[in-house]
Amino acid sequence: MRNSMIEVMTDLLQKGLETAKRLGVSAAKLGFYHCEWTDCKFEAGRLKDMGGRETLSYNVEVLVDGRKGNTSGNRLEDFDTMIERAVTLAKVGSVAHFDAYPAPGELAIVKTHSEKTLSLSREKMIAGCQEMTDALRAYNPALFIECSASRMESESLLVTSGGVCHAAMRTHWSLGASVQRTAGTDMLFAGYGRGWCDLNEFYDPGVIAQKIITDLRRGERIVESPQGRVRVYFPPETLARMLQPLFMGTNGRNVAKGESPLLGRLNEQILAPSLTIIDDPHRDFASGACAIDDNGIPTRRQAIFEHGVLKRFLYDLDSAGLATAEPTGNNGCSPHSPMVLAGGRLSGELLAEIRDGLFVRDLMGFGQSNIINGDFSGNVALGYRIKKGEILGRVKNTMVAGNLYEILKQNVLVSSDTDHEGRYPHCVVEGVSVTAG
Amino acid sequence: MKDRLFEALKKGRADYVEIRVEMEETTHLAYRGREVESAGSSTFGGGIARACTKGGWGMLAFDSLKHLEEQVEEACRCAAFVGHDVKRSAKEKTELAEVEIVDAERPAKLKRDPRGVSLDEKLRLIQGYNDIILGADPSIESSRVTYGDSFRTVYFANTRGTYYMEERPRVYCAFHATARDGSLVQRAGDSFASAVTYDVVVGLEEKVREVAERAASLLKAPKVEGGPQTVILNHQMGGVFIHEAFGHLSEADFLYENPRMRNLMVVGREMGVKNLNVVDDGSIDRTIGSLSYDDEGTPTSKTYLIKQGVLTGHLHSLETAAKMGAKPTGNARSVGRRFSPIVRMTNTYIENGDMSVEELFAGVDNGIYACDAFGGQTEFEMFTFSAGYGYRIENGKIGELVRDVILTGNVFQTLKAIDGMANDLKICEGAGGCGKSGQAPLPVGFGSPHIRIRDVVIGGERK
């Protein structure tokens, strides 16, 4: 990094560890994060905003008499004070379900930092936004167009009383656009964006603009929505959001606290056999890629659902102790980089077989309901009616509802093609309740 | 701090430059189930320098004031780069509305400062609430009770000569109960917040008990039937409705550079029923959505968005006001030190109608009473929001408890489908907040009297 602080902070955190020990803690972990960020924004089809951020933060966790205290901050001059405060907080803090932070383990080599990404200059970001703007404007000059691009480089450090001293660096870029088409009181919103740690072929303004234009074309005509129990097609972007409740169910802390509907159901057939969902933090440059979790435990590639059978819950160090299970190296008991393994047939073939159904491109308010139970109900912000395998036009004032565990247990078709990251395929499910006004 | 900011602003080479510095201290304690889940505190400081040249903006966020002059210069360089971009029109210029120059310090006026309450006392308080939840019903599986307080001090100065310091405290308590019957899990929750006193989180035992009993009752409640129905919204639900369905549409940064949206949201347009009045007011005395000055130094104000059913105004920043020929309303807000201000709501509410609550219910043979709110979302024309719980209304009477009440609609139709407003306005202050453009949660107040709306689409299965 331009102003790397790892050396200085390693020294500060190691000294902090000694301070914590002198204050009587039985275990401690200290973390540091430093980030440099550059971005640009286009508004109404022209460059409007440009800027940067340089931010740092640290966090402290201590164990005193079996209880945890946590503090965080960004003023280095307060660091020792924050350690003392964490010790004070530990007196009323949560019971720790572990005695010590683990010793260093063998880490996978995972690439998360790319020099190529650092070559993404402001000028290139602006050019990318301009290219998307021009393509979208060429399709429809009346569109209200917004675009943005960013580049980030960060460094992080973890020091624990278990002996871990791990520094990591990460780069990331993002590029995206959104449009609004307004005709009278009818509005259509469409957008798409990409991000990755390495600057590779994914950074493609032309593809992003084309994807949005496809949505605009499909939404030219407004048609009546199907109603009742309907077959629904989810493209990868929607599927990714739809699966979030499953990860609340496989969250080991939710399980240990009795809040997960999957409690006591390990090795049961929960989903359709076509669905295998894994967590793979070891794919180079992927979102969520990492070699170590924030307790110093090595991460791992692991199946969560294998052919629909629930294989494991995910645990961080404390939740594993609470559940008398083995920690799985997952911060907050959530997957780092979840993936649905691809099926056997192309998405185009799956679409072509739908006689009457709904293509849900974007859902609004999906997470608002009793989502941990799998119940969902969302407004189809952007969706199309499918008839005889063809997309007929856009539906409006339509809600989809159901229980995720119920609909994903039935016949679920999974495509062989996926999103650009290879994480989510297209998917067709049966029996989703659709209501239209 | 004042001198430090004005000194750094001297380095600004742009049409307009501002610096906002914030210091924030927070404390939080949480129970989950039988155990304390977390105990933490934080101290963060930093800020943002923003500059505008020929209508192009540059910004730089920072953690330390050590290099403030350089950060101001860099923000100005970015603004110049944008302002002189060859693809922009050469005619573009910086347009920011004029407002009164401010020189003020606004310390917090707390009735009971949460910083003066010991950690032990705060913990005992939420432990008591937690015990109530866990003991309320055999079906209660788990609980979450969270206490939090924050004390944020904002320092602002700009090249027009405005300076202010404002302290913005907040204290809140949120509690949730989880009930289980086999694989069926139901949750209920509520929260309370204040910018004035710690006492807002004290004495909530009855509210906590209600929440726990409701979670247990929801296990036995049927799902609401889908389809259009007459709905009565309570204060909180009505507040979320007007915030989501209409408030966001009034934010002028969605309108000012979009001619079609400006045309759609033109002042004078008939928006709702004749007696509908909708207000945003950041100047209400010390609610969590209130502030003396917004994050561009504009004094907050009471703005009628709809008066007698007609669109009368929008919410503005300096730029949107100038470009739409309006007066700034004091609605440029940021969620924290790293973010530029954008147009946001403060306290948004529907004014009282002329019916009693009894009259409102008496007019419904078959409908739904939607209470409290899990959340809401909008894409301008369309909105959706979910009730915490609901009841059937049969022959004007509140009947059976129902679950999964999620409402959706088109704002232009729905505001004209309101056919009754009671006279019991209440403004709600909770632990959550509003989200927009990646900035969340921003503290806002919202409220409404009980309101009745015809033909609202409810998600779910039809019978």
Side-chain angles (χ1 to χ4, degrees):
Chain A
M1 286 184 69
R2 195 160 44 95
N3 302 309
S4 176
M5 297 177 71
I6 286 293
E7 208 172 307
V8 176
M9 290 308 296
T10 302
D11 189 43
L12 188 70
L13 265 54
Q14 294 285 11
K15 281 183 185 155
L17 210 52
E18 292 307 314
T19 305
K21 283 176 187 167
R22 274 200 304 279
L23 291 169
V25 312
S26 59
K29 71 168 181 180
L30 308 171
F32 167 71
Y33 180 75
H34 177 209
C35 172
E36 290 174 0
W37 179 287
T38 305
D39 65 3
C40 71
K41 288 186 194 119
F42 274 48
E43 190 176 278
R46 91 287 197 215
L47 180 61
K48 175 73 179 178
D49 198 326
M50 197 169 85
R53 265 178 230 165
E54 182 174 355
T55 58
L56 64 86
S57 61
Y58 57 79
N59 56 74
V60 176
E61 182 171 285
V62 298
L63 264 64
V64 182
D65 297 330
R67 288 183 177 271
K68 287 193 289 182
N70 293 80
T71 56
S72 58
N74 68 346
R75 292 192 299 211
L76 296 180
E77 61 272 25
D78 293 342
F79 188 57
D80 283 348
T81 308
M82 296 309 275
I83 293 173
E84 287 166 21
R85 196 177 290 180
V87 172
T88 306
L89 280 161
K91 289 174 189 155
V92 298
S94 56
V95 172
H97 301 97
F98 61 97
D99 297 324
Y101 296 96
E106 193 174 336
L107 300 182
I109 295 169
V110 187
K111 291 180 188 166
T112 56
H113 187 270
S114 159
E115 289 298 322
K116 275 195 285 180
T117 302
L118 298 179
S119 72
L120 184 60
S121 62
R122 276 179 176 154
E123 289 77 5
K124 280 185 193 166
M125 288 193 276
I126 291 167
C129 289
Q130 190 67 56
E131 186 181 335
M132 293 189 293
T133 300
D134 292 345
L136 292 163
R137 198 177 270 156
Y139 172 73
N140 181 350
L143 291 175
F144 183 75
I145 304 165
E146 292 183 302
C147 302
S148 65
S150 72
R151 184 201 73 203
M152 181 279 287
E153 184 182 24
S154 70
E155 57 186 9
S156 60
L157 180 66
L158 175 70
V159 173
T160 75
S161 52
V164 169
C165 180
H166 179 81
M169 291 183 73
R170 181 181 293 274
T171 49
H172 195 268
W173 58 262
S174 72
L175 180 69
S178 63
V179 299
Q180 182 186 342
R181 187 172 70 201
T182 308
T185 62
D186 174 52
M187 299 172 205
L188 185 156
F189 295 88
Y192 180 62
R194 285 179 168 186
W196 196 246
C197 293
D198 183 33
L199 187 63
N200 62 2
E201 70 279 8
F202 297 164
Y203 189 91
D204 191 331
V207 167
I208 291 171
Q210 204 49 52
K211 181 116 176 157
I212 295 169
I213 290 168
T214 301
D215 278 323
L216 291 168
R217 283 212 172 95
R218 287 172 165 171
E220 291 289 354
R221 192 155 70 103
I222 294 170
V223 299
E224 202 177 314
S225 174
Q227 297 214 55
R229 293 274 179 178
V230 171
R231 182 180 274 201
V232 173
Y233 182 104
F234 293 117
E237 303 80 23
T238 318
L239 181 64
R241 285 186 66 200
M242 293 290 290
L243 295 183
Q244 289 313 306
L246 297 188
F247 302 133
M248 293 173 79
T250 58
N251 179 305
R253 199 159 192 89
N254 290 342
V255 175
K257 293 284 182 183
E259 295 173 8
S260 165
L262 299 178
L263 171 66
R265 300 183 68 188
L266 269 181
N267 295 313
E268 263 187 45
Q269 187 84 41
I270 303 292
L271 309 176
S274 54
L275 285 167
T276 292
I277 303 175
I278 66 165
D279 179 28
D280 188 358
H282 293 172
R283 297 169 69 225
D284 287 342
F285 302 120
S287 307
C290 58
I292 193 167
D293 80 352
D294 62 11
N295 287 300
I297 297 169
T299 58
R300 58 176 84 163
R301 185 182 196 270
Q302 53 197 341
I304 306 171
F305 294 94
E306 205 166 279
H307 301 298
V309 176
L310 176 62
K311 297 310 288 184
R312 65 171 42 79
F313 298 121
L314 304 180
Y315 291 105
D316 59 22
L317 180 64
D318 189 73
S319 304
L322 178 66
T324 10
E326 186 196 350
T328 56
N330 289 90
N331 302 330
C333 306
S334 299
H336 295 283
S337 190
M339 293 174 68
V340 177
L341 298 194
R345 297 168 63 207
L346 287 168
S347 56
E349 292 172 26
L350 302 184
L351 185 74
E353 284 174 1
I354 298 176
R355 290 190 60 77
D356 192 6
L358 188 65
F359 184 121
V360 178
R361 173 68 181 81
D362 189 17
L363 268 177
M364 179 167 60
F366 170 70
Q368 288 174 187
S369 38
N370 183 26
I371 205 75
I372 193 165
N373 198 48
D375 291 334
F376 68 90
S377 185
N379 184 305
V380 181
L382 183 58
Y384 317 108
R385 182 158 195 174
I386 307 167
K387 269 222 157 171
K388 295 179 184 168
E390 300 283 339
I391 288 175
L392 216 60
R394 179 162 67 111
V395 300
K396 289 191 68 176
N397 211 13
T398 300
M399 289 197 87
V400 294
N403 182 283
L404 206 61
Y405 290 108
E406 285 170 19
I407 65 163
L408 292 181
K409 196 168 184 177
Q410 300 170 39
N411 182 29
V412 179
L413 303 175
V414 178
S415 75
S416 55
D417 48 324
T418 68
D419 59 9
H420 68 284
E421 293 188 31
R423 286 178 60 188
Y424 290 101
H426 304 247
C427 186
V428 179
V429 300
E430 310 279 350
V432 178
S433 175
V434 178
T435 311
Chain B
M1 183 64 82
K2 182 178 178 180
D3 293 344
R4 180 79 186 89
L5 298 186
F6 280 124
E7 192 59 33
L9 284 170
K10 287 181 187 165
K11 291 283 182 185
R13 298 287 175 267
D15 297 338
Y16 170 85
V17 190
E18 68 183 25
I19 306 171
R20 178 166 41 89
V21 172
E22 299 188 7
M23 304 293 171
E24 185 173 36
E25 294 204 5
T26 69
T27 301
H28 87 270
L29 298 165
Y31 259 93
R32 185 176 175 189
R34 306 245 162 240
E35 296 183 331
V36 176
E37 176 74 355
S38 59
S41 87
S42 68
T43 307
F44 283 92
I48 185 168
R50 276 203 324 155
C52 192
T53 292
K54 286 173 70 68
W57 287 94
M59 61 76 96
L60 199 86
F62 50 83
D63 279 343
S64 158
L65 272 60
K66 214 183 294 178
H67 307 292
L68 196 52
E69 281 76 7
E70 288 90 326
Q71 280 140 354
V72 166
E73 286 173 334
E74 177 60 14
C76 292
R77 272 194 292 275
C78 287
F81 189 99
V82 176
H84 293 109
D85 182 53
V86 290
K87 292 273 189 176
R88 288 167 61 94
S89 163
K91 289 182 189 160
E92 281 212 52
K93 58 182 185 193
T94 298
E95 293 177 79
L96 301 173
E98 294 297 329
V99 280
E100 65 180 271
I101 302 302
V102 169
D103 184 357
E105 304 231 322
R106 292 283 183 269
K109 290 182 198 161
L110 285 160
K111 279 190 189 160
R112 190 177 175 197
D113 190 334
R115 294 171 300 176
V117 180
S118 72
L119 275 173
D120 284 337
E121 187 176 337
K122 289 168 181 170
L123 192 70
R124 268 200 307 277
L125 178 83
I126 64 169
Q127 185 181 19
Y129 295 158
N130 195 57
D131 289 345
I132 290 171
I133 293 174
L134 292 174
D137 190 277
S139 66
I140 296 293
E141 182 83 14
S142 189
S143 58
R144 285 188 198 222
V145 183
T146 306
Y147 165 86
D149 58 56
S150 62
F151 198 91
R152 185 174 166 199
T153 307
V154 180
Y155 304 89
F156 176 92
N158 67 21
T159 44
R160 290 173 165 182
T162 277
Y163 166 81
Y164 75 80
M165 181 285 293
E166 183 167 20
E167 290 174 344
R168 297 174 186 167
R170 188 163 79 117
V171 57
Y172 66 88
C173 182
F175 38 88
H176 295 85
T178 302
R180 168 194 284 277
D181 180 6
S183 61
L184 178 64
V185 178
Q186 288 296 311
R187 278 178 170 170
D190 207 346
S191 69
F192 294 83
S194 171
V196 179
T197 179
Y198 174 80
D199 288 339
V200 74
V201 300
V202 177
L204 299 174
E205 288 76 7
E206 272 317 300
K207 301 280 182 193
V208 173
R209 200 179 321 278
E210 278 172 26
V211 159
E213 288 170 357
R214 193 187 313 135
S217 301
L218 282 168
L219 288 175
K220 299 179 191 83
K223 289 185 179 185
V224 70
E225 308 92 69
Q229 302 210 42
T230 296
V231 175
I232 291 179
L233 309 182
N234 78 349
H235 306 108
Q236 197 185 115
M237 193 58 167
V240 169
F241 161 70
I242 205 62
H243 174 104
E244 290 297 336
F246 181 73
H248 282 296
L249 200 56
S250 303
E251 293 167 342
D253 51 353
F254 289 130
L255 312 175
Y256 78 120
E257 297 202 303
N258 187 338
R260 290 183 182 220
M261 285 296 289
R262 281 178 72 155
N263 193 35
L264 187 66
M265 289 295 289
V266 69
V267 168
R269 183 190 175 103
E270 193 185 306
M271 284 297 297
V273 289
K274 288 277 182 222
N275 55 343
L276 178 66
N277 296 315
V278 179
V279 171
D280 182 89
D281 188 353
S283 64
I284 296 174
D285 189 29
R286 294 181 293 164
T287 71
I288 59 163
S290 301
L291 51 168
S292 303
Y293 308 101
D294 75 2
D295 290 331
E296 288 183 325
T298 304
T300 52
S301 59
K302 180 175 182 177
T303 307
Y304 272 92
L305 303 174
I306 296 176
K307 208 165 192 176
Q308 299 297 309
V310 175
L311 200 151
T312 48
H314 306 115
L315 303 178
H316 285 291
S317 64
L318 293 179
E319 183 173 28
T320 65
K323 290 189 172 173
M324 291 178 75
K327 194 175 162 226
T329 54
N331 287 88
R333 302 181 66 192
S334 85
V335 78
R337 66 192 187 282
R338 294 176 183 172
F339 295 91
S340 297
I342 53 177
V343 180
R344 306 297 293 261
M345 284 170 264
T346 56
N347 303 295
T348 313
Y349 59 92
I350 298 173
E351 285 190 335
N352 269 328
D354 52 9
M355 295 173 85
S356 68
V357 176
E358 293 73 25
E359 286 172 317
L360 207 63
F361 276 89
V364 183
D365 293 335
N366 195 351
I368 295 294
Y369 178 34
C371 302
D372 296 359
F374 264 140
Q377 205 179 336
T378 180
E379 283 201 350
F380 297 160
E381 173 202 20
M382 299 303 298
F383 63 85
T384 178
F385 44 90
S386 53
Y389 58 102
Y391 298 93
R392 283 189 221 289
I393 307 171
E394 287 164 344
N395 300 319
K397 304 281 180 212
I398 294 175
E400 183 184 28
L401 182 72
V402 289
R403 64 181 171 96
D404 302 338
V405 180
I406 302 201
L407 315 176
T408 193
N410 175 300
V411 63
F412 299 101
Q413 293 162 8
T414 307
L415 290 176
K416 288 178 180 168
I418 296 173
D419 76 343
M421 287 179 280
N423 51 8
D424 62 340
L425 167 66
K426 184 178 153 194
I427 292 181
C428 307
E429 298 177 79
C434 171
K436 176 180 171 183
S437 302
Q439 294 198 41
L442 186 78
V444 291
F446 48 79
S448 163
H450 276 81
I451 58 172
R452 190 172 67 206
I453 313 175
R454 301 285 177 194
D455 294 325
V456 178
V457 175
I458 296 185
E461 295 178 39
R462 282 176 189 265
K463 271 199 170 168

